[in-house]
Amino acid sequence: MEVDYNGNKGFRLISIYERLNKGEILSKARLAKDYNVTEKTVQRDIDDLRAYIAEAHYTERDTAIEYSKIKKGYQLVRFEREWLTNEEVVAMCKILLESRALKKVELVQLITKLLSQVAPNDRILVDGIIKSELHNYVPLKHNKALLSPIWELSQYISKNEIITFSYTRKDGIDKQHTVKPVAIMFSEYYFYLIAFMADDSKKFPTVFRIDRIENIKGTETKFVVPYREKFNDGEFRKRVQFMFSGELRRVIFEYNGPSIESVLDRLPTAEILSEQNGTYTVKVEVYGDGIDMWLRSQGDGVKVLT
C-alpha cells in the first residue's frame, strides 16, 4: 500500500523521525520534495517532533533535533551517556588495536559494537580510518580469550570471595594458588589480577597475568574488607613498573637523558629533587624490582644514588 505522506501527517512524522534516528542529515527542501509538501509544512513537522522529543520521552539535554549550518540540514543529536561521538569511537578503536591484548575475534566483536554507535552517514568514514589496522591486527602469542575470565574474576572481587586457580609461570611450571582478589589492571599488553595470598604469607599484593590463569573456582569463603581498604588501585598503579610486585622501595637517581618528561610519564611518583646543568636528581617510590629493568634500559642516562 502506498502511503500518502501529504495527507497523513502521522506517517510523515514517523518517517522523518526514523530517518533522523538513522543518522540522516535532512534539509527542508529535501523533505518537502520527498513528501510532496511545502517547506512551511516541513518546519511545522520539525517543531512537532522537537516538542515530542522534549515532552514525551527525553529532556533537551538528552536528545534534540538541531540544524547544522555546516551540513546544511537537520540532524538528531544525542547527548545521552550511552552514546559515543565519532571522535570517541575512533580513539577507543585505536587504543584497542594498539594494545594487542585481545584475540582477534574478541577485538572484532568490540569494534563492531563501537561502530554501531556511529551515525550511518559517518560509519563508512570511521570504518575506513581503522580498516587497515584491523585487517593487519596481530594478537599476542598466547591468543587466549580474556573477556570471560576478566568478568568472572571481577565478580569474585566484588564479592570479596577467596578463589583458587592454576597458574602457569613464565618458566612453564604450573602451580595452584589460593588468593584474595582485589583488582584487575591492564599494563604493557597484558591484563593482570592483583591479589593477596590467602595464607597472608606476603604483606604486599601479588600480580598474576590473567592469560596464564586457568580453572578459576570460588571457595564461598569471604575475606574481610580491610584487604580492599589497604589496596588502592590508583596508588598501586603509580608505584608498580612492568607489573613486578614486591616490597615498597624508594629510589633516588640522577638522570641526564634527552627528556625528563618521559621519566615523569613513565614513573608517576617521580619527584624532581634538583637540577644542575641538565642533570636531574629524581626520587621515586615503587613496588618490587620492575624499576631495575627500567633503570638498566636507560644506559648511561641514569646513575642510581640510593
Side-chain angles (χ1 to χ4, degrees):
M1 180 182 71
E2 186 175 349
V3 178
D4 179 11
Y5 290 109
N6 190 358
N8 192 317
K9 182 176 181 177
F11 281 133
R12 192 169 64 248
L13 290 174
I14 292 173
S15 177
I16 294 173
Y17 182 74
E18 285 184 346
R19 292 172 66 176
L20 289 168
N21 200 42
K22 291 177 180 177
E24 288 190 48
I25 308 298
L26 303 175
S27 67
K28 284 196 287 187
R30 171 69 182 277
L31 290 173
K33 181 179 179 181
D34 290 347
Y35 299 122
N36 193 28
V37 294
T38 66
E39 291 190 21
K40 287 185 178 181
T41 298
V42 170
Q43 184 61 60
R44 287 194 294 270
D45 290 344
I46 295 294
D47 292 341
D48 288 343
L49 286 172
R50 281 173 166 164
Y52 166 75
I53 290 171
E55 297 177 12
H57 282 276
Y58 309 99
T59 68
E60 191 174 332
R61 294 179 59 186
D62 293 329
T63 305
I65 298 175
E66 294 185 354
Y67 182 80
S68 171
K69 292 182 179 179
I70 297 175
K71 298 178 180 179
K72 297 181 179 180
Y74 291 95
Q75 60 183 345
L76 191 65
V77 180
R78 293 183 175 89
F79 304 101
E80 305 129 310
R81 286 187 295 272
E82 65 267 24
W83 288 91
L84 300 172
T85 65
N86 295 346
E87 298 92 331
E88 291 167 339
V89 170
V90 169
M92 294 180 70
C93 287
K94 290 286 186 179
I95 292 170
L96 287 169
L97 287 162
E98 179 64 23
S99 74
R100 296 179 56 210
L102 300 174
K103 64 184 301 183
K104 192 164 186 177
V105 63
E106 291 185 325
L107 179 79
V108 170
Q109 289 174 354
L110 277 175
I111 287 182
T112 299
K113 291 177 180 179
L114 285 171
L115 289 175
S116 70
Q117 297 275 315
V118 178
N121 288 20
D122 299 322
R123 199 168 296 163
I124 295 177
L125 173 62
V126 174
D127 183 61
I129 292 172
I130 64 171
K131 186 175 183 180
S132 177
E133 284 185 82
L134 183 58
H135 176 73
N136 294 290
Y137 179 76
V138 179
L140 300 178
K141 294 301 181 182
H142 66 72
N143 201 32
K144 291 184 178 180
L146 294 177
L147 297 181
S148 180
I150 287 172
W151 174 242
E152 185 178 3
L153 291 167
S154 297
Q155 293 181 83
Y156 287 123
I157 291 170
S158 67
K159 294 187 293 184
N160 297 328
E161 183 173 345
I162 295 175
I163 62 172
T164 64
F165 55 79
S166 57
Y167 188 75
T168 305
R169 302 189 324 195
K170 60 182 178 181
D171 58 8
I173 296 176
D174 292 332
K175 189 175 181 180
Q176 196 74 15
H177 290 280
T178 303
V179 304
K180 303 172 180 179
V182 293
I184 289 174
M185 292 185 174
F186 176 80
S187 178
E188 311 288 346
Y189 302 113
Y190 303 106
F191 285 96
Y192 296 89
L193 170 69
I194 316 299
F196 289 91
M197 306 308 292
D199 60 3
D200 294 326
S201 57
K202 297 179 181 179
K203 294 181 179 180
F204 51 84
T206 301
V207 178
F208 300 93
R209 257 177 51 181
I210 292 180
D211 59 280
R212 293 177 175 169
I213 293 175
E214 293 184 349
N215 304 318
I216 304 167
K217 295 180 181 178
T219 63
E220 297 186 357
T221 301
K222 306 291 185 179
F223 60 89
V224 292
V225 175
Y227 272 95
R228 297 293 303 279
E229 292 178 344
K230 72 187 287 188
F231 180 82
N232 182 294
D233 305 37
E235 293 301 315
F236 181 78
R237 179 179 291 279
K238 287 193 295 186
R239 289 169 172 78
V240 67
Q241 292 298 311
F242 305 106
M243 284 297 162
F244 275 67
S245 185
E247 296 284 357
L248 189 64
R249 301 169 59 191
R250 291 174 179 83
V251 181
I252 297 178
F253 60 89
E254 288 183 348
Y255 177 80
N256 60 8
S259 174
I260 186 63
E261 182 181 10
S262 66
V263 176
L264 301 178
D265 288 340
R266 174 78 255 188
L267 308 171
T269 62
E271 177 186 348
I272 297 174
L273 300 180
S274 64
E275 185 273 332
Q276 186 173 5
N277 299 325
T279 297
Y280 296 84
T281 301
V282 180
K283 180 177 71 174
V284 63
E285 189 177 73
V286 293
Y287 282 106
D289 300 329
I291 183 65
D292 298 329
M293 292 177 57
W294 180 84
L295 290 169
R296 288 195 296 269
S297 72
Q298 302 304 301
D300 296 335
V302 163
K303 178 183 178 182
V304 177
L305 300 180
T306 61

